[in-house]
Amino acid sequence: GTIGHQRSSRNGLLNMAEAVSRTRWTMVGVDVERGQLLSLESSYFAKRAASISGTRTGNVFIMPQMAATSNIDALMSKDSQSNNAHFSPMSISELLEQYASQRENIVTNLINLDCNHCVTSREEQNTEKAIHNVWWNLSKNEIFETPSTADWTVVSDSKVNSQTRALNNLQKKLASLLLEEYRTELLQFEKHPVLMMDTMGPLPIMSTPNIVSEVVELPDLCTNALRLAQLAALDYRIMPLVGAFTISVPESRPICLEGATEDCEMCDANGFDKIIQEESVRVAKFAAVMEVKGGRSWHDAL
């Protein structure tokens, strides 16, 4: 339908933008259509992550996406002349304070706030929750606990082990989305991931935009997580971008017309299974080449 063509065009534009980029790092996925805004220190945390990565290639940092169900007064201001509302970017400390005092005001299941939302709302899937939980725990450590080291771990061996296990489990969950048994979860991943991607892959022969691009034939409404799953399967190191996030408030989101809904039948596997299967097989074959050249097989991650 129309939505599928619109989304496919968006995928094509993303691919073209990445192809002409001359920087090592690219950031994709900030959903301005949902009113998502970058947090106050996003630039700082992004630069720090890039600096710490140094010469180690093949890193992908993921940012969680949230929404405030009501406006946050401390962040709102009015233009004295036009009387228009302005939303100041939220800091990580302000988010943590807001979550502590009014937890019910901060949600991560964004689809229920969309204007053209599905008739039947979808629950957040396990992988989406895992991304949020890992980011949340590491970000709390960043703000409230012992200063972190280069890998964002703290001094305690137990915490190092716990965080390492959490990151490994996240990598496994993401890679497993390519398996047929997890197809439903792949199709119901309701956010387009906000990623800061290294254009250089884990091996010198790998160029991220060439190897793992957006699939133009698929509407990302239903396959938001496909590219992220492929990156995980190809041994890119998936990590949360600690301290950085996106968030929307009612004032930043579009004004919805009453009764605006859309049919979610297009998110069924029918019509997409063959393309998704082809993409999964393509990545598996490339992963086999990586293993021969010294990389780690994606099956090890499973």
Side-chain angles (χ1 to χ4, degrees), residues 288-302:
V289 175
M290 283 177 56
E291 188 175 17
V292 172
K293 292 183 176 292
R296 181 167 61 89
S297 169
W298 79 294
H299 292 286
D300 294 341
L302 300 178

Side-chain angles (χ1 to χ4, degrees), residues 16-296:
M16 287 189 286
E18 288 181 40
V20 299
S21 174
R22 293 294 180 265
T23 61
R24 176 180 166 183
W25 298 91
T26 60
M27 183 168 285
V28 298
V30 179
D31 203 339
V32 294
E33 294 173 359
R34 278 178 160 169
Q36 291 286 307
L37 303 170
L38 289 167
S39 58
L40 182 63
E41 306 98 341
S42 290
S43 177
Y44 163 76
F45 285 115
K47 289 178 181 177
R48 190 184 71 165
S51 176
I52 291 174
S53 295
T55 58
R56 180 172 183 177
T57 60
N59 292 317
V60 175
F61 297 92
I62 186 167
M63 297 169 60
Q65 301 165 70
M66 309 176 203
T69 56
S70 61
N71 285 322
I72 301 170
D73 293 339
L75 302 177
M76 301 300 297
S77 62
K78 291 277 189 178
D79 185 281
S80 58
Q81 296 182 346
S82 65
N83 205 37
N84 291 331
H86 296 282
F87 176 66
S88 300
M90 178 182 272
S91 68
I92 178 61
S93 59
E94 288 170 331
L95 173 67
L96 294 173
E97 290 170 5
Q98 180 71 203
Y99 194 78
S101 61
Q102 292 182 289
R103 180 173 300 190
E104 68 282 354
N105 188 34
I106 305 296
V107 299
T108 57
N109 195 355
L110 307 184
I111 202 165
N112 294 332
L113 297 174
D114 288 346
C115 291
N116 296 320
H117 61 79
C118 297
V119 175
T120 302
S121 297
R122 288 179 285 175
E123 293 296 325
E124 277 192 305
Q125 300 298 306
N126 291 333
T127 308
E128 290 182 88
K129 292 177 181 178
I131 291 171
H132 183 82
N133 290 340
V134 171
W135 176 88
W136 192 259
N137 290 331
L138 291 178
S139 293
K140 284 193 294 185
N141 289 343
E142 180 71 30
I143 300 302
F144 294 127
E145 298 187 17
T146 307
S148 303
T149 65
D151 287 322
W152 297 296
T153 55
V154 291
V155 176
S156 166
D157 286 342
S158 63
K159 288 197 173 182
V160 170
N161 293 334
S162 175
Q163 291 175 2
T164 300
R165 283 196 301 271
L167 290 171
N168 288 339
N169 288 337
L170 177 59
Q171 189 94 10
K172 291 177 184 178
K173 283 181 179 292
L174 289 168
S176 69
L177 292 178
L178 295 181
L179 300 176
E180 189 172 356
E181 62 188 281
Y182 294 102
R183 187 61 45 79
T184 298
E185 184 165 350
L186 174 68
L187 292 172
Q188 294 190 353
F189 199 101
E190 63 99 1
K191 304 179 186 73
H192 193 291
V194 180
L195 305 176
M196 188 177 98
M197 297 188 300
D198 193 342
T199 59
M200 301 168 65
L203 294 178
I205 63 170
M206 299 173 69
S207 168
T208 306
N210 294 332
I211 293 172
V212 192
S213 59
E214 296 285 358
V215 182
V216 177
E217 295 82 5
L218 290 174
D220 66 348
L221 174 67
C222 309
T223 53
N224 286 320
L226 179 60
R227 190 183 195 187
L228 183 57
Q230 290 175 313
L231 289 166
L234 287 171
D235 207 27
Y236 282 76
R237 190 182 183 208
I238 311 296
M239 296 173 289
L241 186 52
V242 175
F245 58 95
T246 69
I247 191 168
S248 69
V249 295
E251 288 286 353
S252 71
R253 293 192 287 269
I255 298 174
C256 298
L257 300 176
E258 186 176 352
T261 60
E262 69 184 41
D263 191 356
C264 290
E265 288 295 321
M266 65 177 300
C267 291
D268 291 338
N270 296 334
F272 301 137
D273 255 343
K274 182 180 179 180
I275 299 175
I276 295 172
Q277 185 63 26
E278 288 173 351
E279 281 295 306
S280 300
V281 170
R282 181 181 67 82
V283 166
K285 288 180 177 179
F286 196 92
V289 175
M290 283 177 56
E291 188 175 17
V292 172
K293 292 183 176 292
R296 181 167 61 89

